Amino acid sequence: MSDQVWLAGFLGVLKEAVEGGTPGQGTAFLDGTKADGSGNNGLLATLAGLTAAQASDLTALGVSVAAHAAHSAFHMEVIVRWNAGERGPFDWKGSFAPGTVSESEWQALRARVRSAYDALMHLAQQPTDWDDAEKDAAGGVAGALAHVTYHLGAVRQLIKLV
């Protein structure tokens, strides 16, 4: 299998996790798709469906949707920074802030998630040596897929508690 076929498959599932499924087509893992293609929302649409107050609710688990969104954006940003040669240290604990947001902060945080995702997708589509262990682009893309899908699931569970 060529690098491009492998990458296209990974990026297709990452796109589904963040942007949602393509109307009229099946999905790799999202459920709830209606005949018109709606209902298979990824992270962006899931976040967009919440108010700042809902996103800020700490729930019984002590963590908010806003915190998950901030951390997800941070993780994607770190992958891009790592590929550019930055090796940290990275404030992983602090990446869950802010836990509470105003409406304008919630809009900005959702835009940050989108921007981080766009930068990651741009990076992944650039010619690269996938065997370069120092940059570990393959590990970064694989990690992003696993990480985003985890947090999408966590956010969907938190929404049930809001």
Side-chain angles (χ1 to χ4, degrees), residues 13-40:
V13 178
L14 179 59
K15 180 179 185 278
E16 179 181 324
V18 177
E19 295 182 42
T22 302
Q25 296 183 10
T27 63
F29 68 93
L30 293 177
D31 56 6
T33 305
K34 297 180 177 95
D36 66 359
S38 66
N40 55 3

Side-chain angles (χ1 to χ4, degrees), residues 122-139:
H122 178 77
L123 168 70
Q125 294 168 351
Q126 299 306 303
T128 191
D129 178 2
W130 292 101
D131 294 325
D132 184 342
E134 180 70 21
K135 287 188 175 180
D136 192 23

Side-chain angles (χ1 to χ4, degrees), residues 29 43 52 83 96 123 130 133 147 156:
F29 68 93
L43 184 61
N83 194 268
F96 282 90
L123 168 70
W130 292 101
H147 197 257
R156 286 183 168 189

Side-chain angles (χ1 to χ4, degrees), residues 41-133:
N41 297 328
L43 184 61
L44 295 173
T46 300
L47 297 177
L50 299 173
T51 65
Q54 291 169 318
S56 297
D57 189 321
L58 292 181
T59 75
L61 300 177
V63 67
S64 69
V65 169
H68 278 275
H71 177 72
S72 296
F74 182 80
H75 182 263
M76 290 184 279
E77 292 163 351
V78 165
I79 293 169
V80 173
R81 291 162 59 187
W82 184 274
N83 194 268
E86 186 178 340
R87 296 297 184 257
F90 302 109
D91 183 9
W92 292 104
K93 185 176 181 180
S95 71
F96 282 90
T100 59
V101 289
S102 67
E103 283 298 335
S104 62
E105 291 168 331
W106 181 229
Q107 288 177 4
L109 181 53
R110 292 190 338 256
R112 178 181 171 206
V113 171
R114 179 66 201 213
S115 177
Y117 165 70
D118 288 344
L120 176 64
M121 290 294 278
H122 178 77
L123 168 70
Q125 294 168 351
Q126 299 306 303
T128 191
D129 178 2
W130 292 101
D131 294 325
D132 184 342

